[in-house]
Amino acid sequence: MNDAAFDSGVRPGGLFKKSDIKLLVAYILSLCSEPFTSDQLGALVIETGLANYFEAVSALCDLAKNGSAVETPDGYVISERGRVLIESISNELPFSVREQASEQLKVMQLRKTSEYSGSVTLEGSEEDHTLTAVCTVKKGDQALLKVKLPVENMYEAERLSKRFTDYTDVFYKSIHALMTGEITLCQNL
């Protein structure tokens, strides 16, 4: 049996064997406290580059077929069989893969429960050294905060955008607390 998986979208350090991808998907399900959909799985693997999207969704279906996962109306959950399996072999997944999957799940949960939304737009250009990231925090349709930050290049802009949109709540609440005196800068340095 050929265990090679499609590698489109997989970053260096990601998984390229179908058996490893199945293990990753089981590991992800074992970390979830509520049902996890195939769309959420797809978003996770696309964001992290840990596996090919189609291979990950196929692995999820295979886990449901072999009884390691159970499909519910709200998504998939790990079965007792899957939990026993993952507890015995999860260490076969590289630590960096487990860590990235776990961190991305936390980010996804923050986004899901966030009362604030963040967006980043760019002004100016890299060529004339006027590139500026405009970071906006909104609650519903109301803009609460807008910050303009100069950036050196598109790479820095993309990193800033990802961090800002992943942690909008933390960013906004920290700025608010700092400006209202609820915390002082020296407490966190």
Side-chain angles (χ1 to χ4, degrees):
M1 181 175 133
N2 184 2
D3 196 32
F6 292 115
D7 61 4
S8 177
V10 182
R11 295 183 184 152
L15 304 175
F16 297 95
K17 289 174 39 183
K18 291 181 181 191
S19 57
D20 290 341
I21 296 169
K22 230 181 259 190
L23 183 58
L24 170 65
V25 173
Y27 177 74
I28 290 167
L29 289 177
S30 75
L31 298 175
C32 296
S33 58
E34 56 189 44
F36 199 66
T37 67
S38 58
D39 288 343
Q40 290 171 310
L41 176 65
L44 186 145
V45 297
I46 287 170
E47 184 69 32
T48 60
L50 290 175
N52 174 273
Y53 168 87
F54 298 105
E55 295 289 352
V57 172
S58 176
L60 181 60
C61 293
D62 289 348
L63 289 170
K65 284 179 192 170
N66 75 20
S68 296
V70 177
E71 185 175 8
T72 71
D74 297 326
Y76 293 83
V77 294
I78 192 92
S79 68
E80 189 54 38
R81 177 179 188 241
R83 192 167 303 285
V84 168
L85 175 70
I86 202 65
E87 286 173 1
S88 65
I89 63 172
S90 67
N91 285 339
E92 290 184 23
L93 276 176
F95 175 76
S96 62
V97 169
R98 293 190 314 253
E99 189 175 81
Q100 285 179 48
S102 177
E103 182 63 27
Q104 189 60 31
L105 275 172
K106 290 175 190 171
V107 167
M108 291 171 78
Q109 184 61 31
L110 271 174
R111 285 182 192 153
K112 186 176 174 183
T113 61
S114 175
E115 60 182 305
Y116 305 106
S117 62
S119 64
V120 177
T121 56
L122 298 177
E123 296 177 348
S125 73
E126 194 173 354
E127 291 78 30
D128 62 3
H129 308 290
T130 61
L131 194 58
T132 302
V134 181
C135 306
T136 305
V137 177
K138 287 186 173 184
K139 185 174 184 178
D141 291 337
Q142 181 185 12
L144 300 175
L145 178 70
K146 189 176 279 193
V147 177
K148 291 184 176 188
L149 298 168
V151 290
E152 292 292 319
N153 51 47
M154 289 303 293
Y155 174 74
E156 185 179 347
E158 288 170 10
R159 288 186 59 218
L160 182 143
S161 179
K162 178 171 176 13
R163 296 287 295 181
F164 182 77
T165 55
D166 284 351
Y167 299 102
T168 302
D169 272 23
V170 173
F171 178 81
Y172 178 71
K173 288 176 181 177
S174 298
I175 292 289
H176 187 270
L178 192 61
M179 294 182 78
T180 60
E182 292 174 32
I183 61 170
T184 62
L185 187 59
C186 294
Q187 284 176 305
N188 296 319
L189 290 179

